[in-house]
Each structure stands twice: as C-alpha cells, then as structure tokens.
Amino acid sequence: MRTLLSTVLLTALLGLTACEPKGPAADIGDNIDQVLENQAAADSQLRDEAAAATQSETVSAPEPEVIEQQKEEIAIVTEEASQEAEQRLNEILENTIEQP
C-alpha cells in the first residue's frame, strides 16, 4: 500500500513539474529571448559593418571617429533594447496585477 501511494504521489509531482506556466507571466521568457536575439542581430550587423570597413582600408587601424561612432551606435541599440524589455515587463506585470 505504501509503495503504491508513494508511486502515485511521485508520478503526480513529476506531472506537475512538467506543466508550463500560463498567463501573462509565461510570455516573459519568450520576450526576453526575443530582445536578446534582436540585440545579437544588431551587434552582428555592427560587427559586419566594422569588418567591411576594416577590409576596405589598407593595413592602417580604424579612425578614432569611426570607433567612437560604433560605440555610440552600440550604446543606443542597447538602451533601446533595454527600454523595450522594461516596457514589455511592465505591461506584463500590470496585466498580472489587474487579474484576480
């Protein structure tokens, strides 16, 4: 009897751990992944542009102005992604709080 009860209880617990969360909070992980993918794509594009610029130049190092411009572009893209993620998280939290 104990073995049967233990088996049933263990099976029920394993079944509960396999359940996915529902509601607005379930989208948080997907949204964070999407923002990170967008950021990675933007970083990749900037790296590609920098590589193309470097290849088109002779053996000399990139100009300091180009480096500063790239740093500014990366900072802007990062800030935009951060704001987008924060806004989406706030929306999800507001929707979650409003629900009974």
Side-chain angles (χ1 to χ4, degrees):
M1 182 70 174
R2 264 189 165 178
T3 306
L4 179 62
L5 183 61
S6 298
T7 305
V8 170
L9 184 60
L10 180 61
T11 304
L13 288 175
L14 288 173
L16 289 175
T17 58
C19 294
E20 291 191 25
K22 296 180 180 176
D27 296 335
I28 291 176
D30 294 337
N31 291 325
I32 291 173
D33 291 341
Q34 183 180 8
V35 169
L36 290 175
E37 288 172 3
N38 291 344
Q39 177 65 32
D43 288 347
S44 175
Q45 181 182 5
L46 288 175
R47 270 189 249 114
D48 291 344
E49 290 173 2
T54 302
Q55 288 176 355
S56 67
E57 294 178 2
T58 55
V59 181
S60 65
E63 296 292 323
E65 295 85 18
V66 173
I67 294 173
E68 287 302 316
Q69 181 184 7
Q70 290 174 349
K71 285 181 182 178
E72 290 173 9
E73 289 174 359
I74 291 172
I76 290 170
V77 169
T78 303
E79 182 63 28
E80 288 173 355
S82 178
Q83 288 175 357
E84 180 182 334
E86 184 177 355
Q87 288 173 353
R88 182 67 181 134
L89 180 60
N90 288 336
E91 288 174 10
I92 291 170
L93 289 175
E94 286 174 10
N95 292 338
T96 304
I97 291 172
E98 291 174 2
Q99 292 180 356

